[in-house]
Each structure stands twice: as C-alpha cells, then as structure tokens.
Amino acid sequence: MTDSGAGTTRRTSQALMLSLITLGLGACARLSTPQAGSGGASRPLRPLLANGVARTPPMGWSSWNYFGCEGLNEQVIRETADAMVQGPDSLKDAGYTYVNIDDCWMKTPSGQARPRNPDGTLSPDPTRFPGGMQALADYVHGRGLKIGLYSSPGLATCQKGGGSQGYEQIDAQQYARWGIDYLKYDRCGIPVDATLRNRFVLMRDALQKSSPNRPIVYSINPDTQDGQSWADVANLWRVTVDIKPFWDKVEGSPTENNYPRKHGVLGVLDRAAEVASVAGPGQWTDADMLEVGVRKAGFSGLTNEEARSHFSLWAMLSSPLIAGNDLRNMTPETRAILTNREVIDVDQDAAGTPAVRVRDDGDLEVWSKTLSGEGTRAVVLLNRSSSNAQIGVRWSELGLAWGEADLRDLWRHQDLGPVENTYSASVPPHGVVMLRVKGADNNGRYEAEAGVNTPEDKDVVSCGRCTGGALVRSIGRGTTLQFNDLYVRQSGRYQLRVAYTTRENRSASVSVNGAPGVSTFFPGTGGAFLPRTATVPVDLRAGLNTVQFSNDRRWAPNIDNVTVLPGN
Ligand code: GAL
C-alpha cells in the first residue's frame, strides 16, 4: 500500500467587510451547502453503480482486524455467524448482515499461496477451510446472514495470496456459484497509476455479468486517498489507510511520502471527514472496519469510552459498520456499543447525508448530520482531549431555527425534553455526547424578532405577511438591531437577503462583526407591513457572526428577517 499525505483542514477566520447593495425582489433562492450549518442541500453526486444494493451503509463483520491472516479459518467463520445470530438482541437483529472473509482464505497456514486449479478457478485453502467455500456460504446463509470474500486486482493480494488479475471473469463466476454477496477488492500488487481505475472496472463488470440477478456488493480499496468519487465503479470505497486499534491520530515515525503508516481512530476520522461529502445511498465512503472491542498485541486498543466515540463518529459519517472484533468473546460493554440501535439508526438514515464538523475548537468539536425528516439532526459533541470538557452547541450551528427543539441522548437512551436555542454538556476525555435534535430547519433564515437578537426590548409588532408573523420596528435614531446568531461553516463571501418594510425610502448602516458599517439604501416597499427584499454582499467568518442595522439620525427600515445565501 502507498500512503499519501493528508491533514486536517483547519478553518481560519477572515477579516470582514461589507460592500454595495444589490436589489432583489423577494425570489426564494434554494440554499446550498456552504451556507447552512449542516443543511440538507443537494450534493452533486457522480453517476452511480446502478446495482441497487447497499442503499444504506453495509453492516457486518470482517475477519481482518482481529484474526488477520494467522487466525482465519472455517471454524472462526462458522462460530462468528453463530455469534451474530445469538441472543434475544442479536447483532443480526441490530442490522449486521455480512460475514466477510478477508485476505488469506487462499493461503496455506504456513504462508504459501494456493495455486489455481487447472480450470483457472481458485479454491480456499483446504486446511483452513476443509468443508470448502460452498458449504460455508450455505452455513452462513442458513443463519439468515450474507457472506463476503476478498481479492485484489493484482496477481497477488496484500498477503501474497492469489489475486484476480487476468482471472476476473473466472473469479466472479466462482463467487456467483458459491453465492457470495459481498466482495472486498483491495489494491495490492498493482501500482497506483493511470490503469488503476480500469482494473476496478474490470471486476465491477465481471461481477455484474456473472451475477446479473443477485447483485454483489462491491467494496473497493483503491488506496488513492485523493478524495475522488468511485461511485460509478463501486458501492463503497476506502478513503483512508488501514485503521489500527488505538485512539490517537498517528503512531510511529513517518515513512514514504513523509506520512506515518499507523493511524488510530482520530487519524482515520480526520481523513475520512474531508472526503465524506461525496457519499450517499449506494455509494459510501469507507472509513475502514471497526476497532470496537479489538484487543491485539502491539496496540493499546480502545477504552469503552473511545470505542463509543469511534462507533458514533462512523455512524455520523455514514460509513459502513463492519465490526472487526472477535464476536464470540466480547464483553457486555462491547456488545452494547455495537448494538446501540439509536446510533445505528443514525448510520442507516435513508437520506445518507454524511455529517460535517460544524465547529472545531481544537480538541473540542461539534458534528452535525442532517437526518431524514424536517429539522432533524444527529449531533456529536466530541472531546479529543484527555480531560473533561464542557461542549455546547447552538441550534444555528445545526441549521435550525431559534427556539425549542426536542433532544434525546443516544447513549443514555434518554429524552432531554424541549430545549431552547443551545445545549451544553460535560463530555469525558476521548468521549462523545451524541444527540438527536428535532427542531425546525432555518434554511439560512434568521427572524429579526428572535430573542437571541439585541436589544432584548426590541419593538416587535405582528405582521401578517412577514415570516414568523412579526417584524422589528423602531430601528434607527440611535437604536441598533443586532442579529447575534448568523452561522456559516466556511469563511467567505455571502449574500445577505434582507426582508424589510418601509413606506418611504430609508437607509441603514449594515455592519458585520463590528466592522465599519456600510450605508445601504432600502427603497420604499409600498407599506409598513409589506415586506420586500434587498441583498447585501457580506464577508462572513466560519462560525457565528453578528450583523447590525443602525441609523444615527433617522429611522432605518423595519426588519422582518435576513437570509444568508451563498456566493458573490
Ligand atoms: C489491506 C487492507 C486491509 C486488509 C489487508 C489484508 O490492504 O487495507 O483492510 O484487507 O489489506 O491483507
């Protein structure tokens, strides 16, 4: 494998300025991603591999993270399938479906690659899999589960078993005969060059040809880590180097490309988060298999707190949930983590919109995932530090309107009731608080009358044609209306669409984040309760912004609302 450099993009604040007004008459523009906290704006997606499977991120188990090469055999797979269906609240009941055999099924225990049969097919190693693959697939299917296999587009797999190069069609036919449901196709034995894409396409086409009526989930590791979408090739594609069972970003010294090879949960998370936005139903970015409950020599492993964070964040990113631990021997805590249905529901949400990091205060972060249904978000408050921390979130950061929202804690399984405007919690070291928040989408619009704006005793009057049924008047002549809660994810130029009313022409000074105001003309709207809109270009910084409307000597217009729109 080749590692390539990657790092977290940290946002920087920019100086602010206001410039000229442009006039627009009330047209309702559709908002898009840079504007809202984590708004559900449409994302441009690449043409999809239309095989109809993996409409939600695949869930299952893989042999690699714990058993690796040495521990892999038929017994383990059978017992794992048994463990998955065991108990009143089994992993299968929680949604885990795939039992994936990773590398080495075609290698002898002493490390020899098995030669192909005279007809070109590849059989599993008979010492590891004495019953053969067909019987094993039947066994797994007999438990109501599905079975996955592993190969590589080169001549050899990563562990030097036989790869599929030149045998794509033969192997795909064999998988179809055995009833394989999922193929992990891992870049090994071939370079990352201009031919890379086509090598994955070869197997895509072979799978479709061999199994036209029973589509096989196609999971690839192109190992490029360049953020490009592979949606037209595969159902999911790995976006990071291999995860290892530890918490921190990286361990060990930099290797080729000056990039450390050992990545823990935080290292993989930061990388995966950068490229997750291209994911959606049937096309997932794969942050690698889970290290929940994986205890392995040479690694610190994750504490239960860290494992909860790992699981929560993978769900937030809509990453596949492929357990990597020994399911036959897991602690009650590990089981409880893997089967937390409220967190699983976040991963499996039908909209498939991956979370974004809406706030990054160094070690303290807020993540928001837009879920199906009006005004619904999953929120993670993440404490990367090694001491307790208080982390708060404002509804505006979630793209939700000021006011009440219903909150539920997804790890405590507790309703927190209706909560106004903000929520703050103490988060343990390396821990998360994960919430489901149900409020109202603000679509980038902020009501002038909202209590979060100042002054507190502003002159609010009802206005039938105004949003929220009210406007704020008596602005000017020394009284300033200040919006305190305008949130954008990225610093940059936006358009502020101001809904206002005034019988006669008025003007106001519009100031962002305390910068010198820009005198702005607001033509008469035809009535004091007849709103129209004017658009002001503004430079906003990532996070919360204030906008002031003032006029020292005269009346400024009455303000109904402002809407933050993207662009120049
Ligand atoms: C790596 C891959 C791992 C595992 C391993 C097997 O390239 O990223 O997830 O499959 O190969 O050799």
Side-chain angles (χ1 to χ4, degrees):
M1 293 185 22
T2 309
D3 296 319
S4 60
T8 317
T9 312
R10 302 271 157 175
R11 296 186 292 266
T12 51
S13 295
Q14 275 184 358
L16 305 160
M17 57 172 265
L18 262 165
S19 58
L20 290 172
I21 183 169
T22 54
L23 195 64
L25 295 180
C28 222
R30 176 131 168 71
L31 301 176
S32 72
T33 336
Q35 173 275 318
S38 57
S42 54
R43 289 160 291 136
L45 297 177
R46 307 243 329 198
L48 180 61
L49 165 61
N51 64 358
V53 288
R55 302 299 300 169
T56 60
M59 291 177 65
W61 171 89
S62 160
S63 57
W64 182 252
N65 281 1
Y66 180 72
F67 292 98
C69 211
E70 302 74 33
L72 176 67
N73 61 54
E74 178 182 303
Q75 190 70 8
V76 162
I77 302 301
R78 283 174 189 252
E79 289 174 5
T80 298
D82 293 346
M84 276 171 79
V85 297
Q86 213 171 55
D89 189 21
S90 69
L91 270 89
K92 182 182 171 219
D93 291 339
Y96 293 85
T97 305
Y98 295 98
V99 179
N100 291 346
I101 302 170
D102 208 279
D103 205 350
C104 299
W105 58 269
M106 69 307 266
K107 275 187 79 179
T108 65
S110 58
Q112 308 303 308
R114 255 187 82 71
R116 285 184 177 266
N117 304 316
D119 64 357
T121 58
L122 194 57
S123 306
D125 177 72
T127 40
R128 288 179 192 270
F129 294 88
M133 200 54 84
Q134 180 70 67
L136 189 55
D138 292 347
Y139 187 89
V140 171
H141 288 147
R143 304 263 162 307
L145 300 167
K146 295 185 170 177
I147 185 164
L149 266 190
Y150 171 99
S151 189
S152 294
L155 288 171
T157 66
C158 291
Q159 300 300 318
K160 312 278 182 285
S164 294
Q165 186 174 331
Y167 293 91
E168 289 85 357
Q169 197 57 48
I170 287 178
D171 285 353
Q173 274 164 4
Q174 180 69 282
Y175 304 151
R177 269 196 298 274
W178 283 333
I180 299 302
D181 304 287
Y182 185 116
L183 178 68
K184 173 170 167 182
Y185 208 48
D186 192 17
R187 184 199 74 83
C188 286
I190 52 163
V192 175
D193 64 13
T195 67
L196 185 71
R197 200 170 187 89
N198 197 42
R199 302 200 194 236
F200 285 98
V201 165
L202 276 179
M203 184 52 91
R204 173 197 71 185
D205 293 345
L207 291 174
Q208 283 185 329
K209 199 168 155 204
S210 312
S211 195
N213 301 320
R214 203 182 51 82
I216 293 173
V217 174
Y218 189 33
S219 155
I220 64 171
N221 179 11
D223 210 13
T224 50
Q225 292 138 34
D226 59 2
Q228 68 173 307
S229 169
W230 289 77
D232 50 339
V233 179
N235 296 114
L236 54 150
W237 57 97
R238 270 274 296 285
V239 292
T240 71
V241 295
D242 292 14
I243 192 169
K244 295 285 187 290
F246 65 93
W247 171 253
D248 285 330
K249 232 173 140 71
V250 291
E251 261 179 13
S253 41
T255 56
E256 41 180 320
N257 302 328
N258 208 24
Y259 195 55
R261 282 192 73 83
K262 288 186 185 166
H263 283 234
V265 166
L266 291 181
V268 169
L269 171 72
D270 288 343
R271 177 67 196 127
E274 285 177 26
V275 297
S277 65
V278 295
Q283 49 180 82
W284 307 106
T285 53
D286 176 1
D288 208 356
M289 302 166 295
L290 298 169
E291 297 284 12
V292 175
V294 176
R295 305 265 170 268
K296 217 171 162 174
F299 292 98
S300 51
L302 301 175
T303 64
N304 288 327
E305 196 67 60
E306 293 167 344
R308 269 190 289 278
S309 303
H310 171 34
F311 194 66
S312 305
L313 288 156
W314 264 232
M316 291 292 279
L317 289 175
S318 309
S319 188
L321 297 179
I322 307 291
N325 59 316
D326 183 354
L327 298 184
R328 305 166 307 171
N329 301 303
M330 53 181 164
T331 62
E333 290 81 7
T334 294
R335 173 180 278 274
I337 293 169
L338 290 175
T339 56
N340 183 335
R341 289 172 191 235
E342 298 201 66
V343 175
I344 291 172
D345 283 352
V346 169
D347 181 71
Q348 298 288 301
D349 183 77
T353 309
V356 289
R357 185 167 10 210
V358 295
R359 182 141 45 84
D360 180 355
D361 292 338
D363 277 345
L364 311 182
E365 300 178 349
V366 178
W367 295 71
S368 169
K369 175 173 181 170
T370 299
L371 301 177
S372 317
E374 153 72 21
T376 313
R377 307 283 185 272
V379 175
V380 160
L381 312 177
L382 169 65
N383 178 5
R384 299 164 71 125
S385 83
S386 43
S387 40
N388 267 303
Q390 195 72 21
I391 305 181
V393 54
R394 299 178 73 81
W395 293 181
S396 60
E397 294 173 301
L398 309 176
L400 298 179
W402 189 84
E404 279 190 351
D406 287 322
L407 251 66
R408 183 169 172 80
D409 186 313
L410 303 188
W411 284 109
R412 291 193 183 156
H413 306 295
Q414 240 174 41
D415 284 330
L416 304 175
V419 177
E420 267 196 7
N421 312 326
T422 68
Y423 180 76
S424 168
S426 167
V427 187
H430 298 182
V432 295
V433 165
M434 188 168 186
L435 307 163
R436 191 181 172 92
V437 183
K438 173 92 177 75
D441 288 313
N442 71 12
N443 294 320
R445 193 178 74 208
Y446 299 85
E447 295 296 339
E449 64 271 22
V452 68
N453 300 332
T454 42
E456 271 177 32
D457 63 347
K458 52 195 159 307
D459 187 1
V460 176
V461 284
S462 46
C463 160
R465 295 181 189 227
C466 295
T467 57
L471 56 70
V472 174
R473 66 180 182 189
S474 312
I475 307 165
R477 296 194 175 177
T479 299
T480 298
L481 173 68
Q482 177 164 312
F483 287 80
N484 285 313
D485 210 25
L486 263 60
Y487 174 83
V488 292
R489 251 189 88 208
Q490 284 158 11
S491 300
R493 169 60 55 94
Y494 292 82
Q495 300 295 327
L496 191 68
R497 197 177 62 204
V498 184
Y500 69 98
T501 73
T502 173
R503 217 183 306 268
E504 67 288 342
N505 294 344
R506 290 184 178 178
S507 65
S509 168
V510 182
S511 154
V512 174
N513 295 325
V518 170
S519 176
T520 305
F521 176 62
F522 291 88
T525 61
F529 295 101
L530 207 58
R532 294 179 76 173
T533 62
T535 305
V536 187
V538 289
D539 287 329
L540 301 176
R541 63 182 172 215
L544 297 174
N545 295 264
T546 63
V547 175
Q548 294 186 333
F549 292 84
S550 62
N551 190 323
D552 288 343
R553 288 178 301 119
R554 299 172 189 277
W555 290 121
N558 312 312
I559 307 285
D560 174 11
N561 67 57
V562 297
T563 302
V564 182
L565 303 169
N568 286 304

